[in-house]
Amino acid sequence: MALIVQKYGGTSVGSIERIKNVAKRVAKFKAQGHDIVVVLSAMSGETNRLIALAKEIQEHPDPRELDMIVSTGEQVTIGLLAMTLKTMGLDAISYCGWQIPIVTDTAHTKARIQTIDENKMRADLKAGRVVVVAGFQGISEEGNVSTLGRGGSDTSAVALAAALKADECQIYTDVDGVYTTDPRVVPEAKRLKTITFEEMLELASLGSKVLQIRSVEFAGKYNVRLRVLSSLTEETGEGTLITYEEDSNMEKALVSGIAFDKNQARINVKGIPDKPGVAYQILGPIAESNVEIDMIIQNAGENGTTDFSFTVPKDEYHRAMKILTELQPVLGATQIDGDNAVAKVSIVGVGMRSHSGVASTMFRALAEEGINISLISTSEIKISVLIEEKYLELATRVLHKAFELEKV
Ligand code: ADP
Ligand code: ASP
Ligand code: MG
C-alpha cells in the first residue's frame, strides 16, 4: 500500500464527464489499497475567463483581489470531484488551500509555499477518506487567499507530496508523458520513459509548460518521486518518470528535448559609450521595475561605443522600452529599438556536457532553412537561440529531425 498524490490538470477536469473519469481512476487506485490525495486545477479555460473578468474592471488588477477571484476555479472542481466520489460510495472530503492550511508568502499571484500542515490530511487518510485539495492556491502569512502563478497546481501537488512524504506524485495531463518536444507542434515527438531533474528543470524554465518550473525545483529539493501521465487514456501506462541523473544508467542522449518560448521581446540599445557600469546602467532600472530579463548580449561597436541587446517577456516590452527611452539621454545611446515578433528555441540534454559539436549541428540545421539567429545563450546542458517568431515551429521541427529525436 502506497501513499500517492495525484494531480489532474484543467483538461482532465474540463467537463462533468471528465471529472467522472477522474473519479473512476481514483476509485481504482483506492481499491488497490492505496491512500490517495488528489490535487485539482480549475476546468480548462476557467482561470483565463476569471482573469479576463478582472481585467474588465482594472487593466492591471489589484493582486490581492485578483487572487480572490482566480482561486475560485479550483474550489468548484474539488467540490464536484468529492461529490462524485461520494455518489460512488467512497468517503471523500474537499479542502481549499486555507483549510489545510498551505501557507505562502505575500507575493500575490506568484506566491511561494512556506509551510504545509499535513495533520488534517493524515487524519482523513487514516479514516479511509480520499482527500481532494484545491491546487494553485494557499493562504498568505497575512491571512489572505494567495495563488502560486500560472500552472501552479503542479507545485501544489509536489509540495503536498513532499509534506506527506508520499511514495509518488503523479501529474495527470492531456499527454501521456514528457515528450522530446511539444507533440502539438511536432507530431513525430516521442515520449521519454525517463528524464533527469536537471533536464526537466531546463525544459520547464525554457518554455515547456507540461510541468510548472517550481514544481520541478520542489521535487528536486525534497526528493519527490515525480511522474507525468495521461488522464485521457483508459490504461494508466507508465508515463515519464523524472529521475536523478545518478539513478538512470541509460546512455545519455546528446539532446533529450526541445523547448520553445514565444513570450520573448528583444530590445537593442546602440552606440553607448563603452565604459565600466554600462550593463548595470541599462539593466538596473529594468530589473528594479520588476521586468524579468532573459538573454543578454553586448558587442563592441565603433569608436569606443558598445551595442547592448537583451530580451524581456512580450507583455513587458512596452514598459521596458518606455523606461529606456526616458533614460536615453543619461545613457548617451545613439539609438534604442526593439522587436517583439521574436521567439526562443532551446535544445536540452545532459549528454551535451561531454560532447562537442552539438552547437554546430544546431546552427547548421537552422542555416539550411535560412533561419537567422539573433541571440545565443548557453549553459552546460542547453543552447538557446532567439529567432523570428514566424519561424518558431519550423525551427523546432528541423532541430527535432537534426538530432534524430523521432528515433528515441
Ligand atoms: P494541464 O492543464 O494538465 O496542467 P498543460 O497544458 O499545463 O496541462 O500541460 C500539458 C501540455 O504541455 C501538453 O498538452 C503539451 O501541448 C504541452 N507540452 C509542451 N512541451 C511538452 C513536452 N515536451 N512534452 C509534453 N507536453 C508538452
Ligand atoms: N488553474 C491555474 C492555471 O490555469 C493553475 C493550474 O491549472 O495549474 O494556471
Ligand atoms: Mg499545467
Side-chain angles (χ1 to χ4, degrees), residues 7 9-10 41-42 47-48 70 74 135-136 149-154:
K7 176 259 176 178
S41 287
T47 309
N48 287 346
V70 297
E74 275 72 9
F136 182 49
R150 298 307 307 269
S153 300
D154 296 336

Side-chain angles (χ1 to χ4, degrees), residues 193-238:
K193 281 191 174 156
T194 62
I195 184 164
T196 68
F197 268 103
E198 240 185 324
E199 289 170 321
M200 195 62 238
L201 254 187
E202 287 282 8
L203 286 176
S205 73
L206 295 167
S208 295
K209 72 166 187 169
V210 60
L211 286 176
Q212 197 203 32
I213 178 166
R214 281 190 190 168
S215 71
V216 188
E217 284 168 359
F218 227 102
K221 191 163 165 197
Y222 294 98
N223 213 344
V224 175
R225 190 178 163 87
L226 184 60
R227 195 185 286 278
V228 178
L229 300 144
S230 169
S231 72
L232 304 182
T233 52
E234 182 85 13
E235 289 304 314
T236 304
E238 59 170 13

